[in-house]
Amino acid sequence: MSDSSQAEPLVPELTRDVVLKVARLARLHLAESEVESFTSQLTQILDYVGVLDEADTEGVEPVAGAMGLNSVLREDLPTTSLSRDDALSGAPHHDGSYFLVPPILDPRAE
Amino acid sequence: MTAPCSPATTIIGLEVHVQLLTETKIFCGCLNRFNPEEPNVQTCPVCLGLPGALPVMNRRALELAIRAGLALSGTIAGTTKWDRKQYYYPDLPKAYQISQFDLPFCDGGWMDVDDADDGDETQASRIRLIRVHLEEDAGKNLHDETQRGRDSRIDLNRAGTPLLEIVSEPDLRSAAQSRRYLEEMRLLMVYLGVSDCNMQEGSLRCDANINLELVNDDGVAIRTPIVEIKNLNSFRGVEAALEYEIGRQRQEFAECGGVYADSEKQTRGWDADRGVTFAQRGKEDAADYRYFPDPDLVPVQIAAEWIEELRTGLCELPAARRQRLVDDLKLSRYDASVIIDQGRDLADYFEAVAQRCGDPKRAANWVTQDVLRELNDRGQAIGDFAIDADGLAAILARIASGDLTTRSAREVFTALLDDDPEGEQVTVEARIDEIISDRGLATIADSGALEPLIDAVIERNPQAAADFRGGKQAAIGKLIGEVMREAKGADPQSVRAALIERLSS
Ligand SMILES: [Zn+2]
């Protein structure tokens, strides 16, 4: 968020550190030039949606969805799953039975 | 422990994960079935996280979850919603897990855990719960353990199966108590039909948070940094990992004097083979899940009538049943626990035997000793046991009526067990009659039938008879033994009395 006149910005300021942290959480490796361009681009996005901060929400009940729907449930009935070949077909690497990923170095006990 | 240790409090909280017994996954219609032999055959665009696929909540999963929440005395929320918990891991195709953050379906609750190991004390500790929530499970990673540097393999059959997470307050005070808590939780979930809690298949797993409050040299109470031990999947593992961690934290405290360079919560794994916990994640990898409401799912309103309907439909829970066996059937706390802890089928079996033979105490003795021993020896479940409740009740009824001595009853029991299940089918009563007559086990109640036997035995053992008459009380043992061998159905007390009478005349 840029320097705004609001006393308490809802969104923390988007610093270079924040960008690097978000990139790390998303497993993205950013070049130095990208860090800069993303910092400014993300700032622009936050400024854009910042207009929502101006809405008066006094006395409005928070909702979890915008559709006004709730309690959409399905019965516990099986549907057809994909064949294994189809399931694996979109993966960059597989051995015909399993998806393959680079060795997980810090095996979380399963 | 040898060194004099300062008074200490162990503080443990458990997060228990229970897989729900639904037919299908939580947000799609793929089968919810343990199937490691056929990897990646139970997936679809929803649980593979393919673009554009939309999840829809499984009503049955919610129903089972509410049942569990009610049985744990939690408060079921009127409205609950779904949130995305974001982290990267190869077994999580969407790179987020659908879970519940600030509006779990169930708040609070508690479970009582018996304190005394032998169960004779009715003393129990109430372990409070923080919350119970629903979430989807991840898939399974298979790490290459033989060759370095080979790819890890991923099976997504389990991805998106429904999981209940039960989070306790840090109310547990020892490793053994934590184990009992988990055992009681398993029993409850199996009773409810909510989960099979098969630990080999990973249907019950837990994470444990543990730290200690220790007093330093200046008499100041200091809490050691909290450690979370991840993915414990056996009762023994939970107890052993916590025991180890208590020792490790004590030692660390002794070494640093309670001054920690880093007091942040730490995540550790449990190496069951080496029996140690090990540091798992660096600080820079600290979890930052960035929860937010899942826009693909709508909130769920749980109608009060539905909750009441499910509450009414709950079966008698293990704790209540244990208490009823003590209060109404007059069993010892210990016997009641042994029976109830074996699961619902054995308790049903016991109650059927107790009711039909009319003597709960005797039924309890037989079930907890003879039946359990045979089941253990044979590696059988009670459902496969050769003697059904009617059979055992029939044997016990004959002891009560005086038609069989306890000893002969054991012989009938063993004979029934050895019967060929494919053999001739007769009623159990008829078969018991047969065994009694084949083996001469009928009780010889009237002394008239014993007399000739006693006379014969005395005649064959003049020395023993003379010794007894001469005041050597012990000599009668040999005579009783011989009579009993010939008259199996005789009651040893009657034989003794008849012998003494005969020898004294
Ligand atoms: Zn699916």
Side-chain angles (χ1 to χ4, degrees):
Chain A
M1 170 155 304
S2 62
D3 294 333
S4 98
S5 53
Q6 282 173 290
E8 247 182 283
L10 292 178
V11 185
E13 197 188 350
L14 199 82
T15 60
R16 178 190 166 79
D17 283 350
V18 174
V19 172
L20 287 172
K21 182 184 173 190
V22 171
R24 187 168 43 72
L25 289 169
R27 303 295 187 271
L28 293 174
H29 299 283
L30 301 185
E32 187 53 39
S33 61
E34 287 173 315
V35 176
E36 281 179 25
S37 65
F38 282 131
T39 305
S40 78
Q41 284 178 14
L42 288 170
T43 302
Q44 282 170 29
I45 293 170
L46 290 181
D47 280 346
Y48 176 69
V49 297
V51 68
L52 292 174
D53 289 346
E54 291 160 20
D56 181 9
T57 54
E58 190 69 33
V60 178
E61 280 278 303
V63 291
M67 289 177 288
L69 278 174
N70 66 59
S71 309
V72 179
L73 301 173
R74 64 176 182 87
E75 295 309 313
D76 185 22
L77 298 170
T79 53
T80 311
S81 290
L82 294 176
S83 72
R84 182 190 287 148
D85 287 347
D86 282 346
L88 296 173
S89 64
H93 302 288
H94 64 82
D95 64 4
S97 299
Y98 295 94
F99 297 93
L100 296 180
V101 299
I104 300 168
L105 295 176
D106 170 24
R108 191 174 57 172
E110 284 303 318
Chain B
M1 231 167 275
T2 49
C5 50
S6 46
T9 309
T10 302
I11 306 157
I12 300 170
L14 293 189
E15 294 170 14
V16 179
H17 292 94
V18 176
Q19 284 204 318
L20 298 180
L21 271 180
T22 55
E23 189 64 27
T24 66
K25 294 188 179 182
I26 184 167
F27 297 118
C28 63
C30 292
L31 290 178
N32 171 24
R33 199 162 290 169
F34 182 71
N35 186 11
E37 306 305 321
E38 296 180 273
N40 296 307
V41 295
Q42 291 156 207
T43 70
C44 72
V46 172
C47 55
L48 287 176
L50 300 186
L54 286 175
V56 186
M57 176 66 199
N58 180 338
R59 179 194 304 276
R60 175 79 177 156
L62 185 60
E63 180 190 320
L64 293 177
I66 294 171
R67 240 198 253 169
L70 290 170
L72 290 165
S73 310
T75 305
I76 307 301
T79 300
T80 188
K81 71 172 174 76
W82 306 100
D83 300 280
R84 292 184 178 180
K85 176 181 181 178
Q86 316 193 64
Y87 64 92
Y88 268 89
Y89 213 71
D91 58 16
L92 191 69
K94 298 191 296 295
Y96 61 81
Q97 176 189 31
I98 304 176
S99 182
Q100 302 199 285
F101 182 55
D102 56 341
L103 286 178
F105 80 90
C106 175
D107 243 326
W110 45 264
M111 193 171 67
D112 286 340
V113 179
D114 276 359
D115 284 337
D117 240 335
D118 64 4
D120 262 338
E121 283 293 314
T122 48
Q123 210 66 2
S125 297
R126 178 150 297 184
I127 308 304
R128 294 166 304 154
L129 304 179
I130 297 174
R131 58 186 275 166
V132 186
H133 70 253
L134 263 168
E135 60 189 25
E136 57 176 343
D137 206 346
K140 214 158 164 49
N141 305 311
L142 292 95
H143 307 292
D144 179 44
E145 271 154 18
T146 52
Q147 254 179 293
R148 279 182 170 203
R150 261 184 34 189
D151 287 344
S152 292
R153 297 174 297 160
I154 313 292
D155 174 9
L156 295 180
N157 281 346
R158 196 178 71 182
T161 55
L163 207 55
L164 202 62
E165 180 168 333
I166 303 159
V167 185
S168 86
E169 293 278 0
D171 282 354
L172 294 156
R173 291 289 166 268
S174 74
Q177 190 187 38
S178 302
R179 178 195 177 128
R180 283 199 299 280
Y181 168 84
L182 195 60
E183 286 171 339
E184 188 72 12
M185 188 64 79
R186 176 183 193 275
L187 185 67
L188 179 63
M189 293 299 140
V190 174
Y191 251 76
L192 291 168
V194 157
S195 175
D196 63 14
C197 290
N198 185 323
M199 298 186 97
Q200 279 78 41
E201 296 180 1
S203 312
L204 177 68
R205 328 191 273 276
C206 93
D207 302 336
N209 286 285
I210 172 169
N211 69 335
L212 311 176
E213 184 172 293
L214 298 167
V215 180
N216 72 6
D217 293 341
D218 301 331
V220 180
I222 291 177
R223 291 199 171 184
T224 61
I226 297 174
V227 164
E228 178 172 14
I229 313 172
K230 285 285 200 189
N231 273 297
L232 298 164
N233 53 13
S234 72
F235 295 122
R236 199 183 308 153
V238 168
E239 189 169 0
L242 287 169
E243 280 302 354
Y244 176 85
E245 192 54 32
I246 290 168
R248 195 194 64 80
Q249 290 188 18
R250 271 181 180 281
Q251 191 176 349
E252 193 178 59
F253 179 87
E255 283 161 10
C256 74
V259 184
Y260 291 89
D262 184 0
S263 58
E264 295 279 301
K265 178 168 159 177
Q266 195 190 64
T267 304
R268 297 179 76 87
W270 168 241
D271 184 332
D273 294 332
R274 291 192 296 143
V276 298
T277 63
F278 57 92
Q280 237 179 356
R281 268 195 207 130
K283 200 175 176 181
E284 59 276 16
D285 295 324
D288 182 350
Y289 296 127
R290 296 154 294 149
Y291 283 96
F292 73 88
D294 192 317
D296 288 343
L297 285 156
V298 295
V300 178
Q301 294 194 339
I302 306 173
E305 302 82 65
W306 193 29
I307 299 174
E308 279 323 302
E309 186 190 317
L310 293 174
R311 192 194 304 275
T312 317
L314 285 181
C315 64
E316 184 184 27
L317 303 179
R321 195 170 190 184
R322 213 181 267 124
Q323 196 58 48
R324 180 167 59 78
L325 297 193
V326 172
D327 293 344
D328 296 358
L329 301 186
K330 308 293 174 218
L331 298 196
S332 70
R333 183 90 190 155
Y334 180 80
D335 281 350
S337 290
V338 170
I339 290 166
I340 295 301
D341 293 353
Q342 293 289 325
R344 199 168 170 170
D345 290 347
L346 189 91
D348 289 346
Y349 179 90
F350 159 74
E351 288 212 53
V353 174
Q355 203 214 338
R356 286 169 212 170
C357 82
D359 187 343
K361 184 74 200 154
R362 196 192 306 277
N365 286 340
W366 279 71
V367 169
T368 59
Q369 291 162 35
D370 304 69
V371 175
L372 280 186
R373 183 190 60 237
E374 294 298 335
L375 288 178
N376 280 338
D377 288 354
R378 289 154 201 259
Q380 265 179 341
I382 189 70
D384 305 321
F385 195 52
I387 302 177
D388 63 10
D390 283 333
L392 184 57
I395 297 176
L396 301 193
R398 290 180 191 226
I399 302 177
S401 65
D403 292 331
L404 277 176
T405 63
T406 298
R407 195 159 114 171
S408 301
R410 290 225 153 77
E411 198 170 329
V412 173
F413 180 80
T414 310
L416 275 181
L417 279 179
D418 292 340
D419 270 353
D420 177 6
E422 304 299 315
E424 200 189 338
Q425 294 297 307
V426 293
T427 65
V428 72
E429 294 282 356
R431 181 65 191 123
I432 292 173
D433 286 338
E434 236 170 63
I435 295 169
I436 289 173
S437 91
D438 287 356
R439 301 179 182 227
L441 297 176
T443 312
I444 301 172
D446 65 312
S447 50
L450 275 177
E451 255 166 45
L453 275 174
I454 285 174
D455 287 344
V457 167
I458 290 174
E459 201 162 309
R460 281 205 304 274
N461 295 280
Q463 187 58 50
D467 286 349
F468 179 78
R469 288 196 180 102
K472 276 174 78 177
Q473 296 284 325
I476 200 168
K478 180 179 166 56
L479 300 174
I480 294 173
E482 280 211 26
V483 175
M484 292 295 294
R485 259 195 296 285
E486 299 201 17
K488 284 184 180 165
D491 159 38
Q493 292 310 316
S494 324
V495 170
R496 165 184 284 269
L499 266 169
I500 290 173
E501 196 188 316
R502 191 83 188 85
L503 290 167
S504 320
S505 60

